[in-house]
PDB file of all heavy atoms in Angstrom:
ATOM      1  N   LYS A 630     -12.350  -0.347  -6.780  1.00 97.00           N
ATOM      2  CA  LYS A 630     -12.964  -1.673  -6.635  1.00 97.00           C
ATOM      3  C   LYS A 630     -12.943  -2.401  -7.985  1.00 97.00           C
ATOM      4  O   LYS A 630     -12.505  -3.546  -8.078  1.00 97.00           O
ATOM      5  CB  LYS A 630     -14.397  -1.510  -6.130  1.00 97.00           C
ATOM      6  CG  LYS A 630     -15.056  -2.812  -5.820  1.00 97.00           C
ATOM      7  CD  LYS A 630     -16.306  -2.625  -5.017  1.00 97.00           C
ATOM      8  CE  LYS A 630     -16.835  -4.003  -4.619  1.00 97.00           C
ATOM      9  NZ  LYS A 630     -18.075  -3.927  -3.882  1.00 97.00           N
ATOM     10  N   ALA A 631     -13.431  -1.702  -9.027  1.00 97.00           N
ATOM     11  CA  ALA A 631     -13.487  -2.331 -10.351  1.00 97.00           C
ATOM     12  C   ALA A 631     -12.086  -2.714 -10.823  1.00 97.00           C
ATOM     13  O   ALA A 631     -11.868  -3.828 -11.318  1.00 97.00           O
ATOM     14  CB  ALA A 631     -14.135  -1.373 -11.349  1.00 97.00           C
ATOM     15  N   LEU A 632     -11.122  -1.796 -10.635  1.00 98.00           N
ATOM     16  CA  LEU A 632      -9.765  -2.083 -11.115  1.00 98.00           C
ATOM     17  C   LEU A 632      -9.124  -3.222 -10.314  1.00 98.00           C
ATOM     18  O   LEU A 632      -8.468  -4.095 -10.886  1.00 98.00           O
ATOM     19  CB  LEU A 632      -8.903  -0.810 -11.047  1.00 98.00           C
ATOM     20  CG  LEU A 632      -7.451  -0.955 -11.500  1.00 98.00           C
ATOM     21  CD1 LEU A 632      -7.348  -1.557 -12.899  1.00 98.00           C
ATOM     22  CD2 LEU A 632      -6.731   0.391 -11.455  1.00 98.00           C
ATOM     23  N   SER A 633      -9.350  -3.241  -9.008  1.00 97.00           N
ATOM     24  CA  SER A 633      -8.737  -4.310  -8.214  1.00 97.00           C
ATOM     25  C   SER A 633      -9.340  -5.666  -8.599  1.00 97.00           C
ATOM     26  O   SER A 633      -8.629  -6.672  -8.652  1.00 97.00           O
ATOM     27  CB  SER A 633      -8.860  -4.039  -6.709  1.00 97.00           C
ATOM     28  OG  SER A 633     -10.193  -4.071  -6.309  1.00 97.00           O
ATOM     29  N   LEU A 634     -10.641  -5.693  -8.914  1.00 97.00           N
ATOM     30  CA  LEU A 634     -11.256  -6.963  -9.343  1.00 97.00           C
ATOM     31  C   LEU A 634     -10.663  -7.430 -10.665  1.00 97.00           C
ATOM     32  O   LEU A 634     -10.387  -8.611 -10.861  1.00 97.00           O
ATOM     33  CB  LEU A 634     -12.781  -6.797  -9.486  1.00 97.00           C
ATOM     34  CG  LEU A 634     -13.554  -6.739  -8.175  1.00 97.00           C
ATOM     35  CD1 LEU A 634     -15.030  -6.439  -8.421  1.00 97.00           C
ATOM     36  CD2 LEU A 634     -13.407  -8.058  -7.403  1.00 97.00           C
ATOM     37  N   LYS A 635     -10.450  -6.474 -11.565  1.00 97.00           N
ATOM     38  CA  LYS A 635      -9.867  -6.801 -12.868  1.00 97.00           C
ATOM     39  C   LYS A 635      -8.453  -7.380 -12.677  1.00 97.00           C
ATOM     40  O   LYS A 635      -8.095  -8.387 -13.289  1.00 97.00           O
ATOM     41  CB  LYS A 635      -9.814  -5.507 -13.689  1.00 97.00           C
ATOM     42  CG  LYS A 635      -9.465  -5.665 -15.141  1.00 97.00           C
ATOM     43  CD  LYS A 635      -9.522  -4.270 -15.769  1.00 97.00           C
ATOM     44  CE  LYS A 635      -8.500  -4.153 -16.864  1.00 97.00           C
ATOM     45  NZ  LYS A 635      -8.959  -4.593 -18.149  1.00 97.00           N
ATOM     46  N   LEU A 636      -7.673  -6.718 -11.821  1.00 97.00           N
ATOM     47  CA  LEU A 636      -6.305  -7.192 -11.576  1.00 97.00           C
ATOM     48  C   LEU A 636      -6.314  -8.571 -10.928  1.00 97.00           C
ATOM     49  O   LEU A 636      -5.495  -9.433 -11.248  1.00 97.00           O
ATOM     50  CB  LEU A 636      -5.544  -6.199 -10.678  1.00 97.00           C
ATOM     51  CG  LEU A 636      -5.229  -4.851 -11.309  1.00 97.00           C
ATOM     52  CD1 LEU A 636      -4.633  -3.898 -10.285  1.00 97.00           C
ATOM     53  CD2 LEU A 636      -4.267  -5.010 -12.484  1.00 97.00           C
ATOM     54  N   LYS A 637      -7.266  -8.780 -10.023  1.00 96.00           N
ATOM     55  CA  LYS A 637      -7.350 -10.081  -9.361  1.00 96.00           C
ATOM     56  C   LYS A 637      -7.677 -11.194 -10.370  1.00 96.00           C
ATOM     57  O   LYS A 637      -7.161 -12.297 -10.271  1.00 96.00           O
ATOM     58  CB  LYS A 637      -8.411 -10.053  -8.271  1.00 96.00           C
ATOM     59  CG  LYS A 637      -7.917  -9.481  -6.955  1.00 96.00           C
ATOM     60  CD  LYS A 637      -8.981  -9.736  -5.909  1.00 96.00           C
ATOM     61  CE  LYS A 637      -8.748  -9.038  -4.618  1.00 96.00           C
ATOM     62  NZ  LYS A 637      -9.919  -9.160  -3.740  1.00 96.00           N
ATOM     63  N   GLU A 638      -8.533 -10.868 -11.340  1.00 97.00           N
ATOM     64  CA  GLU A 638      -8.860 -11.855 -12.385  1.00 97.00           C
ATOM     65  C   GLU A 638      -7.602 -12.222 -13.172  1.00 97.00           C
ATOM     66  O   GLU A 638      -7.343 -13.387 -13.442  1.00 97.00           O
ATOM     67  CB  GLU A 638      -9.923 -11.295 -13.345  1.00 97.00           C
ATOM     68  CG  GLU A 638     -11.345 -11.452 -12.870  1.00 97.00           C
ATOM     69  CD  GLU A 638     -11.669 -12.877 -12.398  1.00 97.00           C
ATOM     70  OE1 GLU A 638     -11.389 -13.827 -13.152  1.00 97.00           O
ATOM     71  OE2 GLU A 638     -12.173 -13.034 -11.267  1.00 97.00           O
ATOM     72  N   GLN A 639      -6.813 -11.192 -13.537  1.00 96.00           N
ATOM     73  CA  GLN A 639      -5.561 -11.448 -14.269  1.00 96.00           C
ATOM     74  C   GLN A 639      -4.619 -12.304 -13.426  1.00 96.00           C
ATOM     75  O   GLN A 639      -3.955 -13.212 -13.930  1.00 96.00           O
ATOM     76  CB  GLN A 639      -4.859 -10.133 -14.621  1.00 96.00           C
ATOM     77  CG  GLN A 639      -5.581  -9.327 -15.678  1.00 96.00           C
ATOM     78  CD  GLN A 639      -4.966  -7.931 -15.856  1.00 96.00           C
ATOM     79  OE1 GLN A 639      -4.032  -7.555 -15.158  1.00 96.00           O
ATOM     80  NE2 GLN A 639      -5.511  -7.160 -16.780  1.00 96.00           N
ATOM     81  N   MET A 640      -4.587 -11.984 -12.131  1.00 97.00           N
ATOM     82  CA  MET A 640      -3.679 -12.718 -11.244  1.00 97.00           C
ATOM     83  C   MET A 640      -4.071 -14.181 -11.119  1.00 97.00           C
ATOM     84  O   MET A 640      -3.226 -15.059 -11.082  1.00 97.00           O
ATOM     85  CB  MET A 640      -3.667 -12.065  -9.868  1.00 97.00           C
ATOM     86  CG  MET A 640      -2.438 -11.228  -9.658  1.00 97.00           C
ATOM     87  SD  MET A 640      -2.464 -10.485  -8.065  1.00 97.00           S
ATOM     88  CE  MET A 640      -3.362  -9.008  -8.372  1.00 97.00           C
ATOM     89  N   LYS A 641      -5.385 -14.419 -11.061  1.00 97.00           N
ATOM     90  CA  LYS A 641      -5.871 -15.800 -10.956  1.00 97.00           C
ATOM     91  C   LYS A 641      -5.292 -16.645 -12.084  1.00 97.00           C
ATOM     92  O   LYS A 641      -4.837 -17.763 -11.881  1.00 97.00           O
ATOM     93  CB  LYS A 641      -7.402 -15.805 -11.105  1.00 97.00           C
ATOM     94  CG  LYS A 641      -8.144 -16.039  -9.816  1.00 97.00           C
ATOM     95  CD  LYS A 641      -9.609 -16.271 -10.142  1.00 97.00           C
ATOM     96  CE  LYS A 641     -10.467 -15.577  -9.120  1.00 97.00           C
ATOM     97  NZ  LYS A 641     -11.879 -15.555  -9.464  1.00 97.00           N
ATOM     98  N   GLN A 642      -5.321 -16.067 -13.288  1.00 97.00           N
ATOM     99  CA  GLN A 642      -4.819 -16.802 -14.456  1.00 97.00           C
ATOM    100  C   GLN A 642      -3.314 -17.034 -14.347  1.00 97.00           C
ATOM    101  O   GLN A 642      -2.814 -18.125 -14.634  1.00 97.00           O
ATOM    102  CB  GLN A 642      -5.140 -16.039 -15.736  1.00 97.00           C
ATOM    103  CG  GLN A 642      -6.620 -16.032 -16.013  1.00 97.00           C
ATOM    104  CD  GLN A 642      -6.981 -15.196 -17.221  1.00 97.00           C
ATOM    105  OE1 GLN A 642      -6.121 -14.844 -18.020  1.00 97.00           O
ATOM    106  NE2 GLN A 642      -8.247 -14.879 -17.356  1.00 97.00           N
ATOM    107  N   ARG A 643      -2.599 -16.000 -13.927  1.00 96.00           N
ATOM    108  CA  ARG A 643      -1.139 -16.105 -13.775  1.00 96.00           C
ATOM    109  C   ARG A 643      -0.792 -17.167 -12.719  1.00 96.00           C
ATOM    110  O   ARG A 643       0.130 -17.963 -12.907  1.00 96.00           O
ATOM    111  CB  ARG A 643      -0.587 -14.735 -13.369  1.00 96.00           C
ATOM    112  CG  ARG A 643       0.870 -14.705 -13.019  1.00 96.00           C
ATOM    113  CD  ARG A 643       1.746 -14.557 -14.254  1.00 96.00           C
ATOM    114  NE  ARG A 643       3.147 -14.473 -13.888  1.00 96.00           N
ATOM    115  CZ  ARG A 643       4.061 -15.368 -14.222  1.00 96.00           C
ATOM    116  NH1 ARG A 643       3.737 -16.417 -14.955  1.00 96.00           N
ATOM    117  NH2 ARG A 643       5.317 -15.216 -13.854  1.00 96.00           N
ATOM    118  N   ILE A 644      -1.536 -17.194 -11.644  1.00 97.00           N
ATOM    119  CA  ILE A 644      -1.277 -18.154 -10.568  1.00 97.00           C
ATOM    120  C   ILE A 644      -1.560 -19.577 -11.054  1.00 97.00           C
ATOM    121  O   ILE A 644      -0.807 -20.509 -10.766  1.00 97.00           O
ATOM    122  CB  ILE A 644      -2.111 -17.798  -9.310  1.00 97.00           C
ATOM    123  CG1 ILE A 644      -1.567 -16.506  -8.691  1.00 97.00           C
ATOM    124  CG2 ILE A 644      -2.072 -18.915  -8.276  1.00 97.00           C
ATOM    125  CD1 ILE A 644      -2.493 -15.834  -7.716  1.00 97.00           C
ATOM    126  N   ALA A 645      -2.635 -19.725 -11.822  1.00 97.00           N
ATOM    127  CA  ALA A 645      -2.953 -21.055 -12.360  1.00 97.00           C
ATOM    128  C   ALA A 645      -1.805 -21.549 -13.231  1.00 97.00           C
ATOM    129  O   ALA A 645      -1.400 -22.714 -13.150  1.00 97.00           O
ATOM    130  CB  ALA A 645      -4.262 -20.988 -13.144  1.00 97.00           C
ATOM    131  N   GLN A 646      -1.254 -20.628 -14.052  1.00 96.00           N
ATOM    132  CA  GLN A 646      -0.086 -20.984 -14.906  1.00 96.00           C
ATOM    133  C   GLN A 646       1.095 -21.413 -14.049  1.00 96.00           C
ATOM    134  O   GLN A 646       1.740 -22.425 -14.316  1.00 96.00           O
ATOM    135  CB  GLN A 646       0.385 -19.750 -15.672  1.00 96.00           C
ATOM    136  CG  GLN A 646      -0.277 -19.480 -16.978  1.00 96.00           C
ATOM    137  CD  GLN A 646       0.255 -18.130 -17.533  1.00 96.00           C
ATOM    138  OE1 GLN A 646       1.092 -17.462 -16.920  1.00 96.00           O
ATOM    139  NE2 GLN A 646      -0.240 -17.761 -18.702  1.00 96.00           N
ATOM    140  N   LEU A 647       1.385 -20.611 -13.015  1.00 96.00           N
ATOM    141  CA  LEU A 647       2.527 -20.915 -12.142  1.00 96.00           C
ATOM    142  C   LEU A 647       2.351 -22.278 -11.481  1.00 96.00           C
ATOM    143  O   LEU A 647       3.295 -23.064 -11.364  1.00 96.00           O
ATOM    144  CB  LEU A 647       2.693 -19.829 -11.064  1.00 96.00           C
ATOM    145  CG  LEU A 647       3.236 -18.481 -11.532  1.00 96.00           C
ATOM    146  CD1 LEU A 647       3.160 -17.452 -10.415  1.00 96.00           C
ATOM    147  CD2 LEU A 647       4.678 -18.611 -12.016  1.00 96.00           C
ATOM    148  N   LYS A 648       1.123 -22.559 -11.071  1.00 97.00           N
ATOM    149  CA  LYS A 648       0.873 -23.834 -10.392  1.00 97.00           C
ATOM    150  C   LYS A 648       1.149 -25.009 -11.329  1.00 97.00           C
ATOM    151  O   LYS A 648       1.633 -26.050 -10.893  1.00 97.00           O
ATOM    152  CB  LYS A 648      -0.551 -23.878  -9.845  1.00 97.00           C
ATOM    153  CG  LYS A 648      -0.683 -23.022  -8.576  1.00 97.00           C
ATOM    154  CD  LYS A 648      -2.016 -23.163  -7.896  1.00 97.00           C
ATOM    155  CE  LYS A 648      -2.005 -22.356  -6.611  1.00 97.00           C
ATOM    156  NZ  LYS A 648      -3.310 -22.217  -5.989  1.00 97.00           N
ATOM    157  N   GLN A 649       0.849 -24.791 -12.619  1.00 97.00           N
ATOM    158  CA  GLN A 649       1.145 -25.854 -13.596  1.00 97.00           C
ATOM    159  C   GLN A 649       2.643 -26.106 -13.703  1.00 97.00           C
ATOM    160  O   GLN A 649       3.077 -27.198 -14.057  1.00 97.00           O
ATOM    161  CB  GLN A 649       0.583 -25.477 -14.962  1.00 97.00           C
ATOM    162  CG  GLN A 649      -0.902 -25.779 -15.053  1.00 97.00           C
ATOM    163  CD  GLN A 649      -1.483 -25.415 -16.396  1.00 97.00           C
ATOM    164  OE1 GLN A 649      -0.816 -24.769 -17.216  1.00 97.00           O
ATOM    165  NE2 GLN A 649      -2.710 -25.814 -16.631  1.00 97.00           N
ATOM    166  N   GLN A 650       3.427 -25.047 -13.395  1.00 95.00           N
ATOM    167  CA  GLN A 650       4.897 -25.216 -13.419  1.00 95.00           C
ATOM    168  C   GLN A 650       5.425 -25.673 -12.066  1.00 95.00           C
ATOM    169  O   GLN A 650       6.632 -25.641 -11.817  1.00 95.00           O
ATOM    170  CB  GLN A 650       5.571 -23.887 -13.770  1.00 95.00           C
ATOM    171  CG  GLN A 650       5.203 -23.319 -15.119  1.00 95.00           C
ATOM    172  CD  GLN A 650       5.628 -21.848 -15.230  1.00 95.00           C
ATOM    173  OE1 GLN A 650       6.597 -21.396 -14.640  1.00 95.00           O
ATOM    174  NE2 GLN A 650       4.870 -21.081 -15.992  1.00 95.00           N
ATOM    175  N   GLY A 651       4.521 -26.000 -11.164  1.00 95.00           N
ATOM    176  CA  GLY A 651       4.929 -26.481  -9.838  1.00 95.00           C
ATOM    177  C   GLY A 651       5.267 -25.365  -8.852  1.00 95.00           C
ATOM    178  O   GLY A 651       5.874 -25.593  -7.812  1.00 95.00           O
TER     179      GLY A 651
END
Side-chain angles (χ1 to χ4, degrees):
K630 186 166 186 182
L632 179 54
S633 66
L634 285 174
K635 190 178 147 87
L636 292 173
K637 277 190 190 171
E638 276 311 309
Q639 290 172 357
M640 258 180 273
K641 254 190 220 171
Q642 291 176 15
R643 173 85 178 116
I644 290 164
Q646 273 175 0
L647 287 172
K648 284 187 176 169
Q649 279 180 350
Q650 299 165 30

